[in-house]
Amino acid sequence: VSTQSTGNSKAFFALDTRLPGDKCVAPRLFQYAGRSPQLSAGATTGRGQLVLGTAKGDVRLFSEKRSRFESADATLRKPRASTTLPGFGDPIIGVDVTDDGLWVLATCKTYLMIIPTSIDESTGFEKRMGDNKPAPRRLQLKAEHVRLLGGDVSFTAARFNLCEGGESSIVTSSGRFVITWNFRKVKQNVLDHYQIREYNDTVVQDHFARQSAKKVIVALPNDVILAKKTKLRGTPIKNH
């Protein structure tokens, strides 16, 4: 991967390792002036549309055009979201988005939010949603599974898988546990269809392997595992 998106509480920028100097992609650099919007996470669609999460709990959608700028001075660029989607008020620690931009995934400490963006044969990235903003769908563990995790849930940034035919799963982790949701069920508003796997050590990071719905990369403090989702090396706990 040669291009990465990153930022801080007031700015967003893209880095391209193929470029000389500071590696910054100038047209994809902007900075909010004045009071910080408390940006906390970002992701892009396959078309380059941008989604930003904030520590205030809201999600901002930018069209590809609105996240590219001509001015050489980042402080003179006026980023304006096409749509701002309210969450539940908790800080967002990670965001992801489907390749087609139709669904946004936001991670908070103890739950995930899924937000559809479609409106009038377009999306909230390209068209203001106004009063048609949808309520986020909340993905969280059942009380008995929270107890299983020791009573404390602290999710890592959740991710979609990306493979031929579109996204079908969501993966995150908390402590020694990896949790996967069936995204196709989530789209049907079935929000409690998930699987949990326990490991012998804290999961540092987890991610679907590229172009795969069945293989998950699990990073432990002293090991990295590439395993089939149905055969992850750990103790399975299923929820139907």
Side-chain angles (χ1 to χ4, degrees):
V1 178
S2 57
T3 304
Q4 297 182 1
S5 300
T6 186
N8 55 36
S9 64
K10 293 185 66 173
F12 169 86
F13 50 95
L15 299 177
D16 190 332
T17 57
R18 299 168 295 185
L19 295 177
D22 61 11
K23 313 296 183 184
C24 188
V25 182
R28 298 306 300 271
L29 166 65
F30 66 76
Q31 179 174 323
Y32 282 87
R35 188 174 181 180
S36 170
Q38 299 182 42
L39 303 178
S40 57
T44 55
T45 69
R47 292 177 52 189
Q49 299 155 318
L50 173 66
V51 53
L52 294 176
T54 76
K56 300 176 183 178
D58 58 42
V59 173
R60 303 181 181 201
L61 309 182
F62 298 80
S63 68
E64 197 270 347
K65 183 178 179 180
R66 285 177 182 267
S67 61
R68 290 183 182 271
F69 301 89
E70 300 296 332
S71 173
D73 186 346
T75 61
L76 298 179
R77 300 168 182 175
K78 304 298 182 183
R80 189 185 344 169
S82 301
T83 299
T84 298
L85 299 168
F88 297 110
D90 297 304
I92 292 174
I93 60 176
V95 293
D96 200 6
V97 61
T98 55
D99 189 61
D100 59 14
L102 290 175
W103 296 86
V104 170
L105 170 64
T107 306
C108 297
K109 183 177 183 292
T110 61
Y111 62 89
L112 312 181
M113 293 190 296
I114 286 285
I115 311 173
T117 69
S118 60
I119 178 171
D120 298 335
E121 299 184 356
S122 184
T123 70
F125 288 96
E126 302 298 329
K127 183 175 182 177
R128 293 187 181 279
M129 301 185 79
D131 294 335
N132 296 311
K133 294 176 183 177
R137 304 180 189 185
R138 186 165 173 152
L139 304 182
Q140 58 189 22
L141 302 181
K142 291 185 174 182
E144 59 265 33
H145 293 144
V146 173
R147 290 193 293 270
L148 177 72
L149 270 64
D152 182 34
V153 175
S154 185
F155 284 138
T156 57
R159 294 285 181 259
F160 290 113
N161 70 309
L162 177 59
C163 58
E164 187 175 350
E167 297 83 355
S168 60
S169 299
I170 296 167
V171 64
T172 185
S173 63
S174 178
R176 303 190 315 274
F177 300 85
V178 173
I179 304 99
T180 56
W181 268 268
N182 185 321
F183 181 47
R184 290 169 181 164
K185 293 284 187 181
V186 171
K187 289 190 286 187
Q188 298 169 3
N189 213 32
V190 179
L191 307 182
D192 60 354
H193 191 99
Y194 56 82
Q195 294 184 346
I196 304 176
R197 293 274 173 164
E198 182 178 9
Y199 287 81
N200 294 325
D201 208 340
T202 300
V203 177
V204 177
Q205 191 173 22
D206 51 85
H207 208 297
F208 283 101
R210 186 173 178 82
Q211 298 296 324
S212 176
K214 298 181 179 180
K215 293 183 179 180
V216 178
I217 300 170
V218 180
L220 305 173
N222 298 301
D223 196 9
V224 177
I225 301 168
L226 175 62
K228 291 184 178 180
K229 190 173 66 173
T230 55
K231 296 182 179 180
L232 290 175
R233 194 171 67 203
T235 303
I237 301 129
K238 293 185 178 181
N239 181 66
H240 298 286

